[in-house]
Amino acid sequence: MRMPKTLSAITCRAAVGGLLAVGLGVAGWPALAAAEAELVTIAPGAVEYYTTAEGLVNGMPVAPARTTAKFDQPLHVMKRLVSQAEYAECVAAQACRPLHKDHRADVSPDMPVVGVSWDDATAYARWYSERTGRQFRLPTYAEWAHLAGEAFK
């Protein structure tokens, strides 16, 4: 499997149960090293979703507007969630904040990391970018809706 040489964006997202890495890419990227997360490809497409904006009419809340986002490039998504052991490597490298004391001893390579904030996920993405030489970031709301597909509706 060949991945884009330059990755326009790979993302991490605090998901239910842990961090999820997501990527938007272009053709030509060398194959992933064994230590890197396996990615799957989500085909280009469009998604209709409600915006996250809150609105008021006459002081009363109203339903947010629906909008459509189109994705011309495929998204490359981490096949599995970031493990406790992977996040612990980031903490050991002093690039990520330690987890809450109730989860600091959680270092299983088979269990997803939990209890991470948006800032924690961003720090992990930055560290993982430096480690792999590829750029990682959090997805936009529209990208997340597209990744979720039918489950988002």
Side-chain angles (χ1 to χ4, degrees), residues 50-65:
Y50 288 102
T51 65
T52 57
E54 295 180 10
L56 298 176
V57 172
N58 297 326
M60 300 297 292
V62 295

Side-chain angles (χ1 to χ4, degrees), residues 22-113:
V22 179
L24 307 173
V26 294
W29 201 16
L32 293 171
E36 294 181 45
E38 184 178 352
L39 304 178
V40 295
T41 301
I42 306 298
V47 63
E48 185 178 332
Y49 63 97
Y50 288 102
T51 65
T52 57
E54 295 180 10
L56 298 176
V57 172
N58 297 326
M60 300 297 292
V62 295
R66 284 189 71 76
T67 190
T68 300
K70 184 177 179 187
F71 299 93
D72 297 326
Q73 297 291 320
L75 286 94
H76 302 283
V77 183
M78 197 181 261
K79 188 172 183 175
R80 58 174 182 72
L81 298 174
V82 173
S83 74
Q84 296 169 354
E86 290 164 330
Y87 189 82
E89 287 180 51
C90 183
V91 172
Q94 298 181 341
C96 292
R97 288 189 299 207
L99 295 173
H100 183 271
K101 64 182 179 178
D102 294 343
H103 294 288
R104 285 192 188 141
D106 297 346
V107 293
S108 172
D110 300 322
M111 297 294 293
V113 66

Side-chain angles (χ1 to χ4, degrees), residues 11-13 22 24 47-53 64-69 71 75 118 137-149 151-153:
T11 58
C12 283
R13 166 80 179 190
V22 179
L24 307 173
V47 63
E48 185 178 332
Y49 63 97
Y50 288 102
T51 65
T52 57
R66 284 189 71 76
T67 190
T68 300
F71 299 93
L75 286 94
W118 183 89
R137 65 166 176 79
L138 295 175
T140 66
Y141 188 75
E143 291 164 348
W144 193 250
H146 179 59
L147 293 170
F152 190 78
K153 295 179 180 180

Side-chain angles (χ1 to χ4, degrees), residues 90 93 95 123-136:
C90 183
Y124 182 86
R126 189 178 311 112
W127 171 79
Y128 199 67
S129 295
E130 292 170 5
R131 181 176 170 210
T132 63
R134 299 187 174 110
Q135 184 182 354
F136 289 79

